[in-house]
Amino acid sequence: MKKILLFTLTVLFLNCNTSAQKKETEEKVKYPVTKTDAEWKAQLTDAQYYVLRQAGTERPFTSPLNKNYDEGIYHCAACDTPLFKSEHKFDSGTGWPSFDRTINGNVAFSTDYKIGYARTEEHCATCGGHLGHVFNDGPRDTTGKRHCINGVALKFVPSKG
């Protein structure tokens, strides 16, 4: 009898997902800029579509923006939202453009479990495009954060003057 009770409790515990929990995970966040899949494919390059719309990752050390240290603002390549300032960029040695902070309110965050453990994923807060991930191994003398961003997800806009 104890085995049956233990088995029943185990099954109930493992299946304890309410419909509200399922609905919450199935619902997509609504962003101010939304387009159909076909519209995104027509607007973006294959590499941009792969990263921004399919949450892909570009190969490290392939982005010309990785070693760009000109003054300016890094915008979302999909919707032109300003995301990062050049003054907050640093060479992390990882092969991807890295920043110690975002432009407040322009980057959204979620939890990503795609590789078997939790990571903080970054999205453009305007269009939802996947940008990269944020880690706690950035410069200690500033924020301690490393926003590891796919260069193909960015458009660099140089400062005037």
Side-chain angles (χ1 to χ4, degrees):
M1 183 68 178
K2 287 183 184 180
K3 287 183 181 180
I4 293 172
L5 181 60
L6 182 60
F7 175 76
T8 305
L9 289 173
T10 302
V11 169
L12 286 173
F13 177 76
L14 292 175
N15 289 317
C16 194
N17 281 337
T18 66
S19 59
Q21 288 172 322
K22 289 180 183 177
K23 186 175 181 181
E24 181 180 312
T25 57
E26 291 172 3
E27 284 183 12
K28 294 235 180 217
V29 176
K30 301 288 184 203
Y31 294 98
V33 172
T34 57
K35 296 183 181 189
T36 66
D37 210 38
E39 290 171 321
W40 285 123
K41 282 183 180 180
Q43 175 188 330
L44 303 170
T45 67
D46 289 345
Q48 288 172 326
Y49 181 82
Y50 170 68
V51 169
L52 287 160
R53 307 317 309 169
Q54 296 181 314
T57 301
E58 68 187 357
R59 287 189 352 258
F61 302 102
T62 59
S63 172
L65 295 179
N66 185 41
K67 295 291 185 181
N68 177 41
Y69 293 102
D70 295 339
E71 287 187 31
I73 305 288
Y74 293 83
H75 290 232
C76 176
C79 70
D80 206 31
T81 297
L83 304 170
F84 304 96
K85 295 179 181 180
S86 61
E87 64 200 66
H88 301 135
K89 189 170 188 290
F90 67 96
D91 186 355
S92 65
T94 61
W96 290 280
S98 297
F99 305 86
D100 69 354
R101 67 197 77 175
T102 66
I103 293 178
N104 285 340
N106 291 357
V107 176
F109 302 92
S110 64
T111 304
D112 165 13
Y113 294 96
K114 292 178 187 138
I115 62 172
Y117 62 90
R119 297 183 297 171
T120 302
E121 185 175 359
E122 298 187 65
H123 307 272
C124 172
T126 303
C127 72
H130 170 77
L131 302 172
H133 295 86
V134 62
F135 302 97
N136 291 319
D137 60 359
R140 295 284 173 230
D141 58 335
T142 61
T143 64
K145 300 290 184 189
R146 173 174 56 95
H147 298 265
C148 187
I149 307 300
N150 290 282
V152 74
L154 301 173
K155 176 177 88 173
F156 179 70
V157 178
S159 295
K160 295 175 184 164

